[in-house]
Amino acid sequence: MTDDPRSATWRLLAHPLRSRILAHLRLHGGSTAADLARALGTNTGATSYHTRVLAEAGLVEDTGLGDGRSRVWAASEEDEGSGVDTSVAVSAIDDAEDLADALWLAHDLVDHHAQRQHAWIDAQVSWPLVWQEECGIDDGEVLVDETQLSALRAELGAVLERYRRRGAGTPGARRVTAVVALTPLPRRS
């Protein structure tokens, strides 16, 4: 196993229920183990156990809003903004188990975002027109070299960071997710 600190997070989240619990808490906010079990189609014992594992790792926290029997869990503040780093170059991972965990987590993240996009496609007709027009998927092709690719990623990240809390306190503000997926295309023949 490598000394990469991300290794422990990959290993921890390379479990389908744990990754879904964390995704659910990020998207929906605080939930009890029973709420999580209903939402994720599993049992309370499993969600309770895996939520405690996530809490020990600092990815979720007890909000203190529950009663004596039921804790209300939320994604930790530190985790909310940062997410899980799935951008590491796979060639930099020298441990086979770490590589398998990192790849599984990256695939799971793509699947999760695809589910969100499918849900939006189905639900968009019930939203106001401006949300229908501005939300969705854009596929913009660009031509960059390696240095420009790094600059592009940094600039996109900076734009997202500027808007992270911009709508706070604004009536009508809604959370949106922006998925940045810079993906090389095959060369044209």
Side-chain angles (χ1 to χ4, degrees):
M1 188 173 305
T2 68
D3 292 332
D4 189 330
R6 295 174 291 203
S7 175
T9 302
W10 297 330
R11 177 82 13 99
L12 185 80
L13 291 175
H15 184 286
L17 186 53
R18 289 183 197 150
S19 66
R20 288 291 167 240
I21 288 170
L22 185 56
H24 184 86
L25 293 174
R26 285 180 180 155
L27 185 61
H28 300 287
S31 296
T32 65
D35 294 335
L36 289 165
R38 278 189 294 280
L40 302 175
T42 188
N43 65 67
T44 304
T47 55
S48 181
Y49 170 78
H50 289 294
T51 304
R52 286 192 313 271
V53 170
L54 292 167
E56 288 171 14
L59 296 172
V60 303
E61 57 194 16
D62 183 345
T63 64
L65 299 175
D67 57 32
R69 286 190 39 187
S70 297
R71 294 179 176 182
V72 176
W73 299 97
S76 69
E77 288 294 321
E78 186 174 296
D79 175 67
E80 272 292 317
S82 63
V84 176
D85 184 4
T86 59
S87 65
V88 66
V90 294
S91 62
I93 302 173
D94 57 3
D95 181 83
E97 288 183 20
D98 286 352
L99 177 60
D101 291 341
L103 291 174
W104 184 91
L105 187 57
H107 281 282
D108 188 61
L109 185 63
V110 168
D111 292 344
H112 181 69
H113 287 300
Q115 289 172 359
R116 281 187 186 172
Q117 289 301 316
H118 286 295
W120 166 248
I121 289 167
D122 294 338
Q124 66 185 324
V125 296
S126 65
W127 283 69
L129 185 59
V130 68
W131 290 90
Q132 292 180 45
E133 291 172 342
E134 298 299 333
C135 289
I137 299 173
D138 286 330
D139 185 9
E141 183 180 322
V142 296
L143 181 62
V144 293
D145 64 20
E146 292 173 356
T147 302
Q148 294 162 340
L149 176 63
S150 296
L152 174 61
R153 182 180 170 123
E155 194 171 333
L156 291 170
V159 168
L160 293 175
E161 188 57 39
R162 277 199 316 271
Y163 280 88
R164 189 165 313 284
R165 302 277 183 232
R166 186 163 280 182
T170 305
R174 298 289 304 253
R175 292 181 311 142
V176 299
T177 185
V179 178
V180 177
L182 299 175
T183 309
L185 297 173
R187 293 190 183 273
R188 290 189 175 137
S189 355

